[in-house]
Each structure stands twice: as structure tokens, then as C-alpha cells.
Amino acid sequence: MSRVLAVAPAFPGPPRDQRAITEIVAPLVAAADDRHGVLLRRVHRSSGVTTRHLALAPDEYAGVRDFGHANDLYLAIGTDLAARAARDALARAGVDPQEVDFVLFTSVTGIGAPSVDAALVGLLGLRDDVKRLPSFGLGCGGGAAGLARVHDYLTGHPHDTALLVCLELCSLTLQHGDADPAALVANGLFGDGAAVAVLVGDAHPAAAAATGPRVVATRSRLYPGTEGDLGWRIGGSGFRIVLSARLPDVVRAGLAPDVEGLLAAHGLKTGDVGRWVVHAGGPRILDAVEEALALPAGTLDVSRASLSAVGNLSSASVLDVLDRTQRAGVPDGTPGVLLAFGPGVSAEVVLLRWSTAG
């Protein structure tokens, strides 16, 4: 097993009111008085989002019209934001940057070579022999998948310390003039932010006294025939969203066997789970999770609170939900399930247990 010592999110700028964002986005993607403008306003109102953070000041988005410009902004703003989240997480964990042995970086809203994690080595004061693994393409599932893959690494390196860095500047993927319904939904749903988790292996001295959850086991699933339901179409103008209306149905049909199977392998049932840490993918996704697993009303309130306050942060979302869960307090011995969905369509399920016992 591995142990989460700390989690810290970071956000650019102040929270922006969803209604104000709608009025900024509307003229960029659709004429205000046509059916697309009407649809945009309706989907923004039903998104479950009250406020979001944006990488840029609202009036600057009109000037971002090509992929190169957007990606340059992603690298500049995103690197600073990821460094801020990492410093906060390391401080919360009481870990010196020189102690970090492994960094997994995941993002799906920008690219770079060298990748952002390489820049973090100097910015954070990490050792120059730190192992790095940048990842692109896991999408909203990246936070859960990243946690699982860091756990795999620490299982083989139980004395080591690792960072999981999730960075998403979703607003920089805005496509001018794209009034496709999927784009209108995405423009009202996604927020900008970063989140970092600090983990140690079971043999690390800090593991025994930590109050964060242990990662007990993980499970990954790729649902056949869903390749066209979620992801990007990448072209000269950048990233264009692929978001099928049937995605909640995929979740309803496929999720329960994976969650129930993972729990059963450890002598648990869904009713034994005291904390559900679910990526805030949107109201329909959260509803689908509740229905698929027959969860009581209110079970995913922390995920809904994250969605309302900061929007869907893609890969960083599930870590924001984990941070909110941690700050609310979790009784010793509580089992938890962390899960997220990404392109493929894929599901990543992580079994947690909060325990201070060594």
C-alpha cells in the first residue's frame, strides 16, 4: 500500500460568477440572439456550476485565437500554478522538496517538451535525479489514474516519496465560433486549476503517523465501443471537445461491476464505504454514479460542492474533492472509493482506507 500525506489545490485569479462567464463566452462562440446563444445560456444555467476560476482576465479571451498562443499561455500560467499547488502540498505534508523521488505529471489541456514537470524540478528545488513521468490523454480520469500509478510505483519503492501533479487550464481550449452542442456544454462546465498530492510508500517513516488515506488497491476499465464518446479532436486551432450525450448511460451500464468487484476482493460492499470521492464531471455524471451504485441521496454532496465552487477541473477535480473530504474530517478506519472517468471511455477506481494505525 501507499499513503497520501497531503493534497493541495491551487486556482488562478479570483472566482468568477458563472453568469458573468456566460456573457463573456456567448459572443465568442455564438450570436447572442440565435438558437446557439439560447442553448448556451440554458446549458450554463443547468451545469451545476456557480463560480469558476479562469486562467486569464475575462476580456483577454477574445484575443486568443490560435493554438500556439493558447499553448504558450498554458505553459507560462500553468507552470506557475502547478508550482504553487506543489509548494502548498509539500508544506502541508512536512516534506522537503529534496526528499521527492518520483513525479507523475498529468494534463490534457496543453502540451510541452520539456513538459511542465521538468520546469518544476528547478522551481521547487527537487533533486536533479528525480524520476519523472509526464502523461497526456487521460483527461478527467488523470487524477484517479495518476494516484493509481503512483501507488504502483510506491509498491515497488516502499521507502520513496512521490508527487502527483494535475494541471488543467480548460478555458484556454475555447474555440471561437464553435457552436457545437458539446462545446457549449463544455464552455459552461470546465474550470481552471491545479492540484498536487504527496504520497509515500508503506516503509517510509512518515507513513505510520499520517492521517491521510492509504491507497489499498486500484482497478482500471476501458469500455469497448466508446472511443467516440469523450476526448479531443485536435486540429490547427487546438482542442475541440468530444462529449457524447450518452456518456451517463455508459457510466450507468458499466460502473457497478468494477466498483463492486474491487470492494468484494477486500471483503467490502458499497454500503461499507464511508466516503465517495468522485470526480465532479457534471450533474448528469454524478447522478449516473449514484444510480449505478444505488447510493443514498446526498452521498456525493462533496463532489457537487466542488462542481459548484470551481467547475469540472478535469484531472485535478478528483484531488479537489479529496482535499475537501480531508478537510471535513474522516473517522479512523473509514473505507473510501475514489473514482473518475476519462477518454476511452475509461474508468479508474481507487480503494482507500483512512487509518492512523501503522
Side-chain angles (χ1 to χ4, degrees):
M1 291 188 285
S2 58
R3 172 76 84 165
V4 179
L5 297 186
V7 181
F11 303 100
R16 309 279 184 179
D17 182 80
Q18 173 78 331
R19 293 166 297 181
I21 294 174
T22 300
E23 297 312 312
I24 294 163
V25 170
L28 300 181
V29 299
D33 58 352
D34 71 4
R35 62 185 180 87
H36 296 124
V38 172
L39 176 60
L40 180 141
R41 287 171 170 82
R42 185 168 76 243
V43 298
H44 279 214
R45 286 194 301 269
S46 63
S47 66
V49 178
T50 303
T51 57
R52 287 184 280 163
H53 295 259
L54 301 178
L56 303 178
D59 60 357
E60 294 181 294
Y61 285 91
V64 183
R65 291 188 169 273
D66 67 76
F67 179 44
H69 185 192
N71 200 66
D72 286 346
L73 291 167
Y74 164 85
L75 291 172
I77 297 167
T79 300
D80 289 343
L81 190 65
R84 176 151 59 89
R87 290 189 187 101
D88 287 349
L90 288 166
R92 292 183 185 186
V95 171
D96 187 280
Q98 288 283 301
E99 298 175 44
V100 176
D101 303 290
F102 176 66
V103 179
L104 192 154
F105 170 72
T106 186
S107 182
V108 76
T109 50
I111 56 174
S115 46
V116 168
D117 50 289
L120 294 179
V121 174
L123 288 172
L124 300 177
L126 305 179
R127 301 194 314 268
D128 60 10
D129 67 344
V130 68
K131 302 178 185 75
R132 297 183 296 110
L133 183 60
S135 167
F136 178 90
L138 292 169
C140 295
L147 200 67
R149 301 293 77 80
V150 169
H151 169 71
D152 292 343
Y153 171 84
L154 291 172
T155 298
H157 301 81
H159 293 88
D160 280 10
T161 302
L163 290 185
L164 168 62
V165 181
C166 301
L167 168 66
E168 305 293 0
L169 299 184
C170 304
S171 69
L172 293 176
T173 67
L174 175 71
Q175 299 290 306
H176 291 250
D178 185 359
D180 181 85
L184 299 183
V185 170
N187 290 335
L189 186 62
F190 288 92
D192 295 345
V196 173
V198 183
L199 293 90
V200 294
D202 250 10
H204 192 283
T211 58
R214 290 183 182 276
V215 179
V216 178
T218 71
R219 179 169 291 194
S220 301
R221 180 67 63 197
L222 193 63
Y223 300 120
T226 62
E227 299 86 350
D229 289 326
L230 181 63
W232 292 127
R233 292 193 308 273
I234 302 176
S237 62
F239 302 131
R240 289 181 179 267
I241 191 74
V242 175
L243 185 62
S244 169
R246 79 183 192 108
L247 185 57
D249 295 330
V250 173
V251 173
R252 287 188 190 91
L255 181 62
D258 291 315
V259 172
E260 292 169 358
L262 181 61
L263 290 172
H266 294 270
L268 298 168
K269 298 180 179 179
T270 54
D272 299 320
V273 176
R275 294 293 186 274
W276 292 90
V277 182
V278 180
H279 150 241
R284 295 183 66 213
I285 294 297
L286 295 175
D287 289 346
V289 171
E290 287 184 338
E291 293 166 18
L293 301 175
L295 300 178
T299 299
L300 303 186
D301 280 355
V302 177
S303 295
R304 296 183 192 277
S306 174
L307 178 66
S308 177
V310 297
N312 179 351
L313 300 173
S314 190
S315 70
S317 173
V318 77
L319 292 188
D320 182 67
V321 177
L322 180 58
D323 176 57
R324 291 169 186 267
T325 301
Q326 282 280 92
R327 288 190 283 113
V330 184
D332 196 49
T334 301
V337 169
L338 179 148
L339 63 91
F341 307 96
V345 170
S346 60
E348 296 288 341
V349 186
V350 182
L351 177 60
L352 306 172
R353 185 177 290 275
W354 276 264
S355 174
T356 54

